[in-house]
Amino acid sequence: MAVKTIEWRADTVRMIDQRLLPTREVFRTYRDYRGVAEAIRSMVIRGAPAIGVAAAMGVALGMKGYFGERARKRFEVVAKALRATRPTAVNLAWGIERMKRVLEANLSLDAASLYERFREEAIAVYKEDLEINHSLGRFGAELVSDPATILTHCNAGALATAGYGTALGVVRAAREAGKKIKVYADETRPFLQGSRLTAWELHKDRIPVTIIADSMAATVLAARGVSCVIVGTDRTAANGDVANKIGTYPLAVMAERHGVPFYVAAPLSSIDLDCPDGKAIPIEERAGRELTEFAGKQIAPRGVETFNPAFDVTPAALVTAIITERGVAHPPYRESLSTLKRKGG
Ligand code: MRU
């Protein structure tokens, strides 16, 4: 996809505003870490790897002009504001942690040199994410038949990463390998990442995509020859339990019921070995207005109670395989995931 999700541009961070897609392509420019934090919180940018990149770039912006002990204090303030934005995607904390290592290793530098190191690291996080997605895509493409009908949920595409995508990276790599691919995209209530974003980027790349409402997935799995389900993840625990966009868990249950493989595309930065299982993953709850309003218009009784968890946890037992940039993990995941994490340092 030619459009850049996020970009470092001459001491600013530029992002496409994903809240306005697919009808408007508007770019926002941030000069300050607070703006980046608000962009993550309000979902101008979303998707676990993309918010990891945004957090790293946000830290770089926030550290400009600081050095020595003042830099250490400043880092805590900047990191706290960014960390508080969205709790589930572990990539956010991972991106900040990478920047912390830069701070610790360069405390003796003057302000300009330290800022340069932060800037370089943030750009490196961005570039590595692109490479990771291509590598993950190639491993995943080997699991995809030819022809294949792939069902996906939410948006784990170029828009959710530095580019290319994780689940949609597998779709793209399978296409590049010459396979005939067709995609069903769950609409993904309530934020509509599937119908707005997945459909937008696949359609732009001329990859055949059909939108369905989330409630139609069982019908599609039962009668539309789905070869596999591929989704992304915000955080995968050490035992292979997968936190991803709300609605992923029912999809995994339905896939098992219909004997369809359920794959998770997970860069190693989304795998949290410090989380023993899914119960330890913090699940973000978002404002009830995402359910009671639609495009700013009220669609439910005023004052009614809501429950709006942004993610759910799919038990490892329902996951056929986890695709990473260093290879494909199979059950038992406790062993296979830690082996892959260790591989290559
Ligand atoms: O709330 P979102 O849009 O940030 O949720 C995104 C997802 O659930 C994605 O599937 C996940 O972050 C993986 S993106 C490669």
Side-chain angles (χ1 to χ4, degrees):
M1 193 185 71
V3 175
K4 282 211 163 82
T5 304
I6 180 165
E7 198 181 359
W8 181 275
R9 267 198 185 187
D11 293 349
T12 66
V13 178
R14 186 176 186 259
M15 304 174 193
I16 187 161
D17 190 338
Q18 300 193 27
R19 299 168 306 180
L20 304 178
L21 291 173
T23 47
R24 288 170 64 207
E25 294 181 23
V26 174
F27 290 86
R28 311 255 176 227
T29 299
Y30 301 97
R31 293 181 165 73
D32 167 64
Y33 79 93
R34 291 182 202 86
V36 173
E38 182 52 25
I40 297 172
R41 200 203 52 75
S42 64
M43 292 170 74
V44 167
I45 190 159
R46 30 67 51 202
I51 59 184
V53 174
M57 291 185 175
V59 168
L61 288 183
M63 295 307 293
K64 194 171 180 185
Y66 286 81
F67 68 104
E69 266 318 300
R70 283 189 66 231
R72 210 194 272 282
K73 286 207 183 82
R74 172 72 170 180
F75 190 92
E76 289 317 313
V77 172
V78 172
K80 192 171 169 209
L82 289 162
R83 251 191 229 113
T85 52
R86 298 193 74 193
T88 304
V90 69
N91 307 61
L92 184 79
W94 173 90
I96 294 170
E97 208 39 53
R98 281 217 20 185
M99 301 302 272
K100 185 159 192 179
R101 272 183 252 140
V102 171
L103 173 75
E104 298 299 344
N106 296 289
L107 269 172
S108 60
L109 294 182
D110 60 76
S113 311
L114 181 57
Y115 173 64
E116 187 52 23
R117 293 283 188 288
F118 280 125
R119 200 185 64 88
E120 282 168 3
E121 186 70 358
I123 293 171
V125 168
Y126 168 88
K127 287 189 179 155
E128 283 168 31
D129 188 56
L130 263 179
E131 283 165 25
I132 284 167
N133 295 335
H134 280 274
S135 170
L136 185 155
R138 282 190 294 272
F139 280 115
E142 289 169 21
L143 301 171
V144 173
S145 59
D146 183 19
T149 299
I150 297 172
L151 174 57
T152 191
H153 188 70
C154 192
N155 172 265
L159 287 167
T161 60
Y164 202 66
T166 59
L168 297 190
V170 174
V171 168
R172 290 191 164 97
R175 259 267 289 220
E176 284 158 21
K179 296 181 182 178
K180 197 166 182 287
I181 309 292
K182 181 177 153 182
V183 175
Y184 278 99
D186 273 358
E187 174 186 48
T188 317
R189 276 283 290 157
F191 204 69
L192 309 182
Q193 291 94 330
S195 55
R196 293 191 305 107
L197 308 177
T198 293
W200 181 76
E201 62 172 87
L202 291 182
H203 199 59
K204 239 181 167 33
D205 280 359
R206 298 181 193 283
I207 298 174
V209 58
T210 304
I211 297 169
I212 56 168
D214 301 0
S215 51
M216 296 163 194
T219 298
V220 168
L221 282 162
R224 291 266 167 155
V226 175
S227 325
C228 62
V229 176
I230 312 180
V231 296
T233 176
D234 281 78
R235 189 185 303 227
T236 289
N239 72 338
D241 287 352
V242 171
N244 192 48
K245 179 51 52 195
I246 194 76
T248 301
Y249 173 34
L251 198 55
V253 172
M254 290 187 275
E256 188 192 48
R257 173 75 176 78
H258 294 285
V260 172
F262 184 88
Y263 298 125
V264 175
L268 292 164
S269 57
S270 299
I271 295 170
D272 185 359
L273 296 184
D274 293 334
C275 247
D277 56 38
K279 287 196 289 295
I281 300 177
I283 300 294
E284 174 187 7
E285 275 190 44
R286 295 189 63 84
R289 3 173 242 290
E290 287 183 357
L291 297 173
T292 58
E293 292 177 10
F294 189 82
K297 190 175 178 294
Q298 188 188 336
I299 55 164
R302 208 176 287 284
V304 77
E305 263 188 49
T306 55
F307 173 50
N308 185 19
F311 302 95
D312 59 24
V313 176
T314 299
L318 295 175
V319 178
T320 311
I322 298 175
I323 308 158
T324 79
E325 67 271 31
R326 289 194 198 140
V328 177
H330 296 278
Y333 291 116
R334 220 174 269 285
E335 283 79 18
S336 56
L337 291 180
S338 68
T339 304
L340 283 174
K341 275 276 229 190
R342 278 197 306 266
K343 201 168 136 186

